[in-house]
Amino acid sequence: MTEQNKDNCCDCNLTDELLENIPDNEELEEISDIFKSIADPTRLKILFLLKNGELCVCEIFDALDKSQSTVSHHLHILKKEKIINGRKEGKWIYYKLNNPEILEKLAEFSKVIE
């Protein structure tokens, strides 16, 4: 706490205790990146498309009615955050959720903030 803040604050001395409950900056950055990666309607649609299992990228293109480059961009972001993974079979890539519980957790989260 700065000297200026000490003059304007109570004498409770809880600062160290409060800071112990905050994850370190690296962990906060990771959490923030995950939220950013799913904070897009198209990426959320991709997650819901993959809810019932693996899909070929061509099926994702068709379902979203978006260009190949747009869908690829969104898939890349989700892959980077390890939310989905892909496997190549011939000339196609098949995507699936790394952990299907993510959709349940998102539903729980949205109920908490209602």
Side-chain angles (χ1 to χ4, degrees), residues 60-112:
I60 298 170
F61 293 153
D62 289 346
L64 295 177
D65 195 30
K66 303 256 184 211
S67 72
Q68 182 269 333
S69 62
T70 298
V71 174
S72 293
H73 169 74
H74 290 297
L75 290 168
H76 172 76
I77 290 169
L78 292 169
K79 257 181 90 170
K80 187 177 96 180
E81 292 304 321
K82 299 180 178 85
I83 295 170
I84 64 170
N85 64 45
R87 66 172 181 85
K88 190 166 183 153
E89 188 175 304
K91 67 177 188 170
W92 298 107
I93 299 175
Y94 292 81
Y95 288 96
K96 68 178 185 175
L97 296 173
N98 275 333
N99 186 342
E101 286 184 23
I102 189 168
L103 294 172
E104 294 168 22
K105 300 299 181 190
L106 283 172
E108 287 174 23
F109 184 74
S110 66
K111 287 178 186 175
V112 167

Side-chain angles (χ1 to χ4, degrees), residues 2-3 12 21 26 31 33 38-39 41 44 47 50-52 58 60 64 72 74-75 85 88 94 96 103-104 113:
T2 65
E3 288 301 317
C12 52
N21 295 318
E26 187 175 321
I31 293 167
D33 287 344
I38 59 175
L44 285 171
L47 297 183
L50 298 174
K51 178 181 183 176
N52 295 317
C58 63
I60 298 170
L64 295 177
S72 293
H74 290 297
L75 290 168
N85 64 45
K88 190 166 183 153
Y94 292 81
K96 68 178 185 175
L103 294 172
E104 294 168 22
I113 58 174

